[in-house]
C-alpha cells in the first residue's frame, strides 16, 4: 500500500488499504490521505474521523516521530498534502508537545 501511495497510484493504494482484513495503524492513517488525493472529500473526511476516533491524539507530527519520518521531501510533501486535503491535524497540541518534548516538529 505504501509503495502505491508514494508512487501516486492512489487507486491501487486504496484497494490495498480496504482489502486488509486486519487493518493496521498504517491503513487507518493512509486511507483518508488516499481518498483526499483522489479528490473524494466525503470519504476522506469519514476515514479521517475514524482515524481520530481510534487515536484522538493523532497528528502528522506524532506519527512521523513514532515512525521515523521520510528520507526525501517528495514523500513528506505527499504525506502532508494528504493531511491538509483530508482535514487531519499536522501539528501536535501544546499538551502533547509538553508530554513529548522530543517530538519531530513540522511546519503547519
Amino acid at each position: 500500500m505504501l509503495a502505491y501511495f508514494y508512487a501516486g497510484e492512489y487507486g491501487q493504494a486504496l484497494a490495498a488499504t480496504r482489502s486488509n482484513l486486519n487493518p493496521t495503524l498504517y491503513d487507518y492513517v493512509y486511507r483518508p490521505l488516499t481518498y483526499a488525493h483522489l479528490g473524494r472529500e466525503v470519504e476522506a473526511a469519514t476515514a479521517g474521523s475514524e482515524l481520530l476516533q481510534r487515536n484522538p491524539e493523532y497528528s502528522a507530527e506524532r506519527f512521523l516521530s513514532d515512525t521515523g519520518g521520510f528520507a526525501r521531501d517528495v514523500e513528506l510533501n505527499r504525506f502532508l498534502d494528504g493531511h491538509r486535503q483530508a482535514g487531519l491535524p499536522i501539528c501536535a497540541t501544546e499538551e502533547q508537545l509538553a508530554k513529548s518534548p522530543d517530538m519531530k516538529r513540522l511546519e503547519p
Side-chain angles (χ1 to χ4, degrees):
M1 173 265 302
L2 293 176
Y4 290 127
F5 180 85
Y6 289 108
E9 298 291 333
Y10 302 118
Q12 295 286 3
L14 183 59
T17 67
R18 293 177 62 184
S19 68
N20 192 346
L21 297 177
N22 297 305
T24 67
L25 174 61
Y26 283 86
D27 293 310
Y28 288 109
V29 168
Y30 282 90
R31 193 171 298 146
L33 307 184
T34 302
Y35 277 127
H37 280 289
L38 287 168
R40 295 168 62 176
E41 297 172 8
V42 173
E43 289 114 321
T46 300
S49 292
E50 184 176 1
L51 167 62
L52 294 174
Q53 281 182 325
R54 292 180 168 281
N55 189 345
E57 293 191 1
Y58 177 84
S59 70
E61 286 180 335
R62 169 87 280 150
F63 185 78
L64 293 176
S65 292
D66 291 347
T67 61
F70 298 99
R72 299 184 323 164
D73 285 343
V74 67
E75 284 90 4
L76 176 61
N77 291 335
R78 187 164 287 171
F79 180 77
L80 295 177
D81 286 346
H83 277 74
R84 289 183 190 99
Q85 292 173 30
L88 288 169
I90 292 175
C91 297
T93 65
E94 292 300 322
E95 181 181 321
Q96 293 164 341
L97 291 171
K99 291 181 197 175
S100 303
D102 295 332
M103 189 179 299
K104 179 180 175 119
R105 300 305 320 267
L106 298 169
E107 294 293 322

